[in-house]
Structure formats: structure tokens, C-alpha cells
Amino acid sequence: MHYTFALAGNQNSGKTTLFNQLTGSNQHVGNWPGVTVEQKTGTMLHHHHGKQTHLGLPVWRRSGHGVLRKETDLKETRVPEKYSDVTIVDLPGIYSLSPYSMEEIISRNYIVKTKPDLVINIVDATNLERNLYLTLQLLQLGRPVVVALNMMDEVRSHGDVIDLKAMEKALGVPVVAISARKGEGLDELVRRSMDVAEHRQLPGKLDICRGEAHKALHAVAHLVERNAMARDITPLYAATKLFEGDEPMIAELDLSEETRHIIEEILSSMEKEQGMERAAVMADTRYRFIEEMLTACVIRNPEGPDKLSDRIDGVLTHRVLAIPVFLVMMLLVFYITFGPFGSMVVDWFSGLVDGGIQVMGNALERWGVALWVRELVVKGVFTGVGSVLGFMPTILILFLLLSVLEDSGYMARAAFLMDRPLRKLGLNGRSFIPMMMGFGCSVPAIMSARSMSTQRDRRFTIMLTPFMSCGAKVPIYALFTAAFFPDHPVTVMTALYLMGILMSIAAGLLLKRYVFHGDASPFIMELPSYRLPTPRNVGRQIWEKAKDFIRRAFTVIFLATLVVWFLQSFTFNLTAAQSIGESMLGSIAGFLAPVFAPAGFGNVQASTAVLTGIMAKESVVSTLAVLSGAEVDSVEMLANLRSIFPSTLSAISFLLFVLLYMPCIAAFAAMRREMGSLRWAFWTVAGQTALAWVVATVVYQGGLLLGIG
Ligand code: GDP
Ligand code: MG
């Protein structure tokens, strides 16, 4: 049999962690809400079907005297092999099934329309009150559900106790304690999920309403019964949605004028009775039910949970200290990445890469390979790819540090910190997340803007995201720093990143004034608790980044290098070009060069680099490496770079241009998709490129006037 299990739960409840555990994938897990914005699908690993392993989590039972007793009851069951085919779907985090944001719509549609065989509802057990709100709604859907109480390791260390059996009884579905992060309880979760899926076990009738609300709900359910059943919707769920004034449901049920009228009567008389709006009645009822249930099922450690998180927040989100602390953290990140430590690692690593290329070249010579092939392979390809690969450690160190900050929960605080300043730009704290991700890669960053609630906020954020220098630009900056500012790497790097941020502020102010009027929507985000970053999580992210980088080096950048080498080596008649001016490249890029002349880099090499940079930013480096015709030896490459950029001023101008001009093709495609408009995406990149040109030209001409360069 083939089954589909969907993971649904609040943001930051551990869905992706569980998904990765169950499927062995490496999806991005981040300790802030809104990381997963797309639904991801994977196949469940076989080893989760096998024999039960040690659970590690005690099951608590109420004994006769009302005291909780610990039992480690483990039934040794084998799950038969016939269950070998399970697809797991990781949905974006949601707080309710009412469509407020795009994620909620995606998740709700998936659960309601696609109908997975089972919904595994992941609940953050350290935050039951809020998490169970969604659980109740899922149960009302009347689809098979298993509740997975996640983060039980934290519950345990707080000294709290949860009575699983009682909770199961109250909710009418299986409740399994797990720790997705530690991999505990997963076998039990899978076993019981299989059980439910196989027997198509539906949740028991859950009556959470009392009194008037109860009467009204059932009356409405009765009224819509026929229409609901015809559309395969449980009447009670339909009634709940009508209570909440849910537009899509009203439209879908397609009730007669008369029925709608009667429902309106029932609801408004109930509103009068309860002294509350209908939606509030529903919410109130749910929270009351949850409260009652928790009083019966949870015993909190009277010593209270660890207040460490609060103490840390006392400093990190302090009224005065917060911003300085944030700046110091960022500076530290830069210092470690680009300072003595970072450059030591880079030197060591590029030595390794260069050595490899030399060995390759010698081998080719020994094998008597033709000179032109050797030239192509060693100079053309390996120099290009190698020049980029050498900078991989820098990117990885930067990522390591950022992902530690992210995984610890600090970045979510920073988003709050940035809400006020971002508001001045007409954005809100939510925009901080895509922007922070933009330092990694613009593509996921642009996608993560989905978590913003209005299209205005989304488009606005997307337009500013590329100003955050992505990881692929690091090799460019590093190369130029080594060539032109060998004594001040940290300063120059920090300045470049700052420049990007400053330009985004300038662009933001302009956009707010002329394009996006008004203010951003309010910013609501829950703060995740601080967590020690797990080596596994951080390691996984670094590994993904490294793999991605290497893959790009040997595909896009390899290809770009080949093309550039070919175009510069031959004329249009396919005879060997004597000089670059004579080559195909010279003729093509020759058209572009004059455009860049006012900015100080109006030559074929720099223009070509700008062009290939559109494919992938790293290509700027590989192109310059190939065109400077350098030996693998980096000293010579740096010298040749100085001949392409005769003055430091022209190098600065080029760096600024590269920092600001249009993002790569992949990012452009993401923009188009997420902005939902080719026109918007086009004008965004056109604007960025124009801005880049203006800034580069102003800086260059200004510098000349001042006599620098
Ligand atoms: P999602 O937003 O629901 O996909 O949640 P993630 O899987 O991205 O996890 C959010 C945060 O919770 C990450 O920092 C995880 O490392 C952490 N986390 C997930 N599961 C557990 C768990 O069982 N125990 C603890 N202590 N932390 C967890
Ligand atoms: Mg996630």
C-alpha cells in the first residue's frame, strides 16, 4: 500500500526536523518561524518500519491515587514490510486553518483538498496552549490525525510531566511523545501512524462547545449537512467555519438564500446571548477546552521552567544594549570570516586546489595530450573553476557562523529588533528574515518573502533582498581585496556589505515614497526559545552549502568558463585569435565596454565578467581568471588583475557595480515567480543595474575629481 502522511503544525514546532529524520533529507531547519514556505515531499526511510527500538521516553500513567507513575512500556512489535511505501509531506507552519497568510492557504488546501491518508500534527509540547489550537481544528476536519508531542526532551528537562493517556482520551486520537531532534519516539510514532492509516481510523467525536454555542453549532451543522456532505466536508467542520465567517467555506457550500438567512438568525441570537462575536465565541471555546484538558493532563514542575531564556533576552533584547550587541555580533562574524583566521584557511585551501591543478596539468603533459587541449583544460577550465573553488572556505565559515546565530534563536530576536527601523522604510520585522537569508543566496531568500502577509510587503521585500550580498559574491570581494587591499581585508569586506545595506535603505526610502505608499502590515511573530545549535543541524547546513557550491563550480561556472575561453581564443572565422581585440569576445564585449568607460572599467575583460556574472556571480571571478591569462599561481593572477583595473579607484568602482547590479538569472526567475509578474521582476533588475551604474560612475568620476586613483 502507498500512504501519504502530511506533517502539520505551528511554525517552529519541529516539522522539518521530523521530516528530515523520517526521510533522511536535508531540508533547512531554522530556529525561526517561516523557514519552510513550500511544501516538501519525501519518502519515508525503511528503517523506520522495522523493529521497535528503545524509546527513551517514559510513558506516564495515573495510578489509583491520582499520582503519576512512570512506566517504560514498550511493546516489541514488528511493522510488516508491506508498509514500505510512505510519502511524507512537510507543510509550512500554520496557526489555524483559517486562511490568513499564504502558508495557511497552502497547508489548508493540501489537507482539505488533497486529503493525505494521515495528518501528523506536530505539537510543541513546551507550548501546548497555543499549539493545541490548531490541533482542535485539525480534529474538527474529521480526517485521520495522530498527534506527535515534540520537544519532549525539553519538557523532560523542565521537569514537567504530561499524561499521554489522558490526553489521548480527551482528544480522541493517538498522542505520541517524541523528540524529533534526538530521534526519540519516532518508531512509535510511525507504528501508530501506520495503524491509523491502515484502518482509516477517524478521530472520535470531539465536542468542545458547551451551552448556547453548542446548540448553535449543532443547529448550523444540521442546516448545512446536505450541502456539506455532497462536497465531502464534515458538517461540523463546515459549521465551525461558518462560525468563523470563513469566506471560502461560505462560497464553497453554496447554500440557498433561505438557509443562509436562518444561519444568520441563529448566529446573531447566539452572539447576543454570549455577548461576543461569533468568531470570538469559537476561539474562546477552543481555548477553554484546551485549558481544561491541560489542567487534567499536565503537571508542571513547581520550580518552574528554566528562566535562562528570559535572562538571556534581558541582555540581547535590552532597550539600549540590543543594537550595540547586534552590531558587535555581526562585526565578530565578519572578523572571524575575513580576518586572519579566515584568510589562513583560504590560503591553505587554495594551495590545495592549485596543487591539484598543477598535478592535473603535469599528468596531461606526460600523457602527451595536445597543447591546445591542455591549454583548455588547465588554463581555461581549471583556472576558472579553481579560482572560484579556492574561496569555498570563506563562504562556509560565514555560513557556519550565521547558522549558529540562526539555530540558537538569536536571529528571530534580531528580526524584532529590526521591526522599528524597517517600519521607517515602510516594511516590517518580517522582512528581516528574507534579507538575512539574502546573505546566503537570493533564491531561497526571495521565496521566503512568502511568509509576508500582503503582496505589497512581499514585492517590496523582494526588491530589496538582492542588495544583501549573496554568498556567491564573496569570491569576487575576496579576490579584489587580496589584489588591492591586502592589508585591510576585514574593513573592506565590512564596508562592502554595509554599502549594500545602505543602498537598500536608500532604495527602500525611494520605493516607499514613489511606489509602495503607506505602511507595512503589523508584525506578529512568536519568539522561539533559545536552543543550543546542534552540530548536526549546523553541519547539515554547511554540508548542503558546500555541495551546492561545488556543484555550481562544476556546472554553471565550468560552462561559463568554457564559453569565455572559446570566445576569447577564436575569431569569428574560427581561426586562433592573436589578441583579445580580434577574438569573438572582443567584438561582442567591445560593444559593452564603452558603456562602462565612465565608471572606469571600460575594457573587454571587465565587461565580459559583468556579463557572465549574470549567469552566476562566481563567474565574475572565473572569467577574470581566464581572461587575465594567469598561471594558476595566484600572485601572477593578482598582478594581471591590476592590469585589467589600472587604478584602485577603478577596482572600487567595479566592486560597487558588481555589488549592486542585477542578481543572477536564477534569482531573477525566483523574483518573477514570487512577484507574480514579469514586468515587476524586469523593472526591479533594470532599476538595480541602473543604480549600480550610477553609483559606480559617480564614485569613479568623483574620485578622479578629488585626485584619487
Ligand atoms: P518547523 O518550523 O516546524 O519546520 O521547525 P524546525 O524543524 O525548523 O525546528 C525549529 C527549531 O526547533 C529548530 O531549532 C530545531 O532544532 C528545534 N527542534 C526541533 N525538534 C526538536 C526537539 O525534539 N527538541 C528540541 N529541543 N528542539 C527541537
Ligand atoms: Mg520547517
Side-chain angles (χ1 to χ4, degrees):
M1 265 306 276
H2 174 264
Y3 293 119
T4 303
F5 294 177
L7 305 182
N10 285 186
Q11 290 180 345
N12 227 33
S13 60
K15 292 177 302 298
T16 305
T17 310
L18 179 64
F19 177 82
N20 286 344
Q21 288 272 13
L22 290 178
T23 62
S25 350
N26 285 321
Q27 289 304 327
H28 188 122
V29 171
N31 192 11
W32 64 26
V35 169
T36 313
V37 287
E38 264 191 320
Q39 79 196 32
K40 293 268 161 51
T41 312
T43 305
M44 191 156 75
L45 292 177
H46 282 259
H47 70 73
H48 281 297
H49 300 258
K51 213 167 129 227
Q52 286 290 289
T53 47
H54 176 58
L55 263 185
L57 291 167
V59 177
W60 296 81
R61 289 250 167 89
R62 245 168 237 283
S63 73
H65 314 290
V67 188
L68 287 178
R69 194 156 50 82
K70 191 162 111 180
E71 278 176 21
T72 320
D73 74 340
L74 257 187
K75 288 178 223 86
E76 286 267 320
T77 35
R78 266 195 89 85
V79 180
E81 285 299 324
K82 66 172 175 179
Y83 295 129
S84 56
D85 198 15
V86 176
T87 302
I88 309 265
V89 181
D90 184 20
L91 295 172
I94 47 174
Y95 292 103
S96 73
L97 289 178
S98 313
Y100 291 120
S101 71
M102 235 150 109
E103 293 118 302
E104 290 184 342
I105 296 171
I106 294 177
S107 298
R108 163 166 149 165
N109 279 351
Y110 187 82
I111 297 168
V112 178
K113 304 259 156 65
T114 315
K115 299 206 165 135
D117 297 295
L118 174 75
V119 175
I120 298 182
N121 172 216
I122 308 199
V123 164
D124 174 355
T126 62
N127 208 334
L128 286 167
E129 287 82 357
R130 203 205 47 230
N131 277 252
L132 288 171
Y133 191 78
L134 175 68
T135 308
L136 291 186
Q137 298 192 42
L138 287 171
L139 292 176
Q140 283 171 331
L141 269 182
R143 309 271 318 145
V145 172
V146 168
V147 172
L149 287 189
N150 192 26
M151 319 247 179
M152 283 304 277
D153 53 324
E154 285 187 10
V155 171
R156 200 166 33 187
S157 72
H158 290 168
D160 296 344
V161 173
I162 300 175
D163 183 346
L164 295 176
K165 292 285 166 213
M167 201 179 265
E168 254 178 30
K169 217 164 133 214
L171 293 174
V173 288
V175 177
V176 185
I178 66 167
S179 166
R181 180 140 138 181
K182 298 203 146 86
E184 291 175 337
L186 301 188
D187 295 316
E188 160 101 353
L189 176 66
V190 169
R191 184 171 61 78
R192 301 200 59 181
S193 302
M194 286 296 188
D195 234 35
V196 171
E198 199 194 18
H199 299 109
R200 299 194 179 285
Q201 216 170 301
L202 297 177
K205 273 261 177 315
L206 186 67
D207 238 342
I208 64 172
C209 297
R210 314 254 183 283
E212 282 307 311
H214 178 91
K215 265 194 248 157
L217 187 69
H218 282 268
V220 173
H222 189 70
L223 280 167
V224 301
E225 187 161 2
R226 262 234 329 263
N227 289 37
M229 297 289 251
R231 287 164 185 78
D232 208 9
I233 304 169
T234 45
L236 215 52
Y237 174 68
T240 317
K241 290 288 121 184
L242 291 181
F243 247 69
E244 294 174 329
D246 185 293
E247 297 291 341
M249 180 58 82
I250 295 172
E252 185 167 1
L253 284 175
D254 192 25
L255 299 165
S256 69
E257 192 62 43
E258 197 194 339
T259 319
R260 280 227 293 274
H261 194 73
I262 305 175
I263 291 175
E264 189 51 41
E265 291 277 277
I266 297 176
L267 292 182
S268 43
S269 86
M270 180 215 53
E271 277 178 331
K272 265 194 222 97
E273 180 86 29
Q274 303 269 305
M276 257 191 272
E277 280 184 33
R278 53 195 77 166
V281 173
M282 210 13 98
D284 189 61
T285 312
R286 290 198 185 111
Y287 279 122
R288 226 151 7 156
F289 178 85
I290 292 171
E291 209 179 288
E292 265 171 40
M293 185 178 81
L294 292 184
T295 326
C297 306
V298 179
I299 297 180
R300 301 218 191 271
N301 180 0
E303 312 276 281
D306 176 21
K307 287 278 184 287
L308 185 64
S309 214
D310 294 346
R311 279 215 303 278
I312 299 176
D313 267 344
V315 179
L316 293 187
T317 61
H318 187 270
R319 218 160 32 85
V320 186
L321 289 178
I323 299 265
V325 167
F326 177 66
L327 293 179
V328 167
M329 286 223 202
M330 289 299 139
L331 269 182
L332 209 65
V333 167
F334 279 91
Y335 187 75
I336 298 175
T337 313
F338 302 112
F341 172 73
S343 55
M344 197 183 73
V345 180
V346 167
D347 284 347
W348 171 79
F349 191 75
S350 30
L352 213 68
V353 172
D354 291 351
I357 295 173
Q358 216 119 58
V359 169
M360 192 68 205
N362 292 343
L364 289 179
E365 197 171 344
R366 237 178 307 117
W367 296 335
V369 175
L371 182 67
W372 75 270
V373 178
R374 239 163 48 213
E375 286 254 304
L376 169 69
V377 171
V378 173
K379 270 208 191 139
V381 176
F382 279 100
T383 307
V385 173
S387 64
V388 172
L389 270 189
F391 293 108
M392 191 169 77
T394 315
I395 296 176
L396 294 191
I397 296 171
L398 183 64
F399 261 79
L400 178 87
L401 298 173
L402 288 182
S403 79
V404 165
L405 282 184
E406 179 190 324
D407 213 24
S408 66
Y410 179 68
M411 282 304 184
R413 266 82 185 169
F416 270 93
L417 212 63
M418 291 300 146
D419 186 50
R420 277 249 311 266
L422 282 169
R423 250 172 212 295
K424 299 225 162 78
L425 289 183
L427 290 166
N428 69 28
R430 268 267 176 223
S431 317
F432 181 74
I433 292 170
M435 291 194 181
M436 227 33 227
M437 291 176 92
F439 288 120
C441 172
S442 300
V443 175
I446 288 167
M447 284 171 58
S448 78
R450 278 188 198 175
S451 64
M452 314 214 41
S453 45
T454 66
Q455 190 175 55
R456 168 198 179 278
D457 294 0
R458 250 189 325 269
R459 284 183 169 166
F460 199 168
T461 305
I462 288 173
M463 291 179 97
L464 297 186
T465 302
F467 285 109
M468 311 299 129
S469 284
C470 74
K473 288 181 187 168
V474 168
I476 312 175
Y477 301 162
L479 177 71
F480 276 76
T481 310
F484 294 94
F485 315 95
D487 300 330
H488 308 285
V490 180
T491 319
V492 173
M493 281 291 178
T494 313
L496 281 167
Y497 276 88
L498 270 182
M499 184 70 190
I501 295 169
L502 286 179
M503 289 314 292
S504 79
I505 295 175
L509 288 173
L510 282 177
L511 286 170
K512 177 178 157 74
R513 171 115 203 216
Y514 295 107
V515 186
F516 301 106
H517 307 282
D519 290 319
S521 49
F523 172 50
I524 312 163
M525 187 172 95
E526 77 183 275
L527 282 184
S529 46
Y530 284 106
R531 299 201 168 91
L532 270 187
T534 47
R536 186 176 167 161
N537 243 346
V538 173
R540 176 144 54 192
Q541 273 174 50
I542 300 304
W543 171 233
E544 283 300 306
K545 195 74 202 164
K547 257 190 355 206
D548 178 57
F549 191 78
I550 293 172
R551 210 194 53 230
R552 286 160 62 84
F554 285 99
T555 52
V556 190
I557 294 157
F558 175 84
L559 213 84
T561 310
L562 261 185
V563 171
V564 168
W565 180 86
F566 179 75
L567 291 180
Q568 78 141 359
S569 306
F570 296 98
T571 65
F572 278 114
N573 305 326
L574 293 185
T575 55
Q578 297 309 312
S579 72
I580 195 163
E582 208 181 287
S583 68
M584 287 185 265
L585 185 72
S587 327
I588 301 169
F591 280 109
L592 203 60
V595 176
F596 295 122
F601 49 92
N603 57 53
V604 172
Q605 290 95 329
S607 310
T608 311
V610 166
L611 276 184
T612 55
I614 295 175
M615 278 212 256
K617 295 292 158 179
E618 299 98 325
S619 290
V620 170
V621 168
S622 59
T623 302
L624 288 175
V626 171
L627 292 186
S628 71
E631 288 296 307
V632 203
D633 179 20
S634 67
V635 178
E636 196 174 329
M637 157 113 189
L638 297 185
N640 286 337
L641 203 59
R642 280 196 214 102
S643 72
I644 299 177
F645 300 96
S647 63
T648 306
L649 185 61
S650 67
I652 294 176
S653 155
F654 181 76
L655 273 179
L656 288 175
F657 184 82
V658 168
L659 165 71
L660 300 171
Y661 85 124
M662 74 169 283
C664 68
I665 278 295
F668 175 75
M671 273 185 179
R672 214 210 83 171
R673 224 173 32 237
E674 302 299 322
M675 287 178 140
S677 152
L678 179 63
R679 259 222 340 255
W680 273 83
F682 174 78
W683 285 112
T684 302
V685 300
Q688 277 158 350
T689 309
L691 178 75
W693 186 87
V694 169
V695 169
T697 303
V698 166
V699 166
Y700 185 70
Q701 297 297 334
L704 283 185
L705 277 182
L706 294 176
I708 314 168

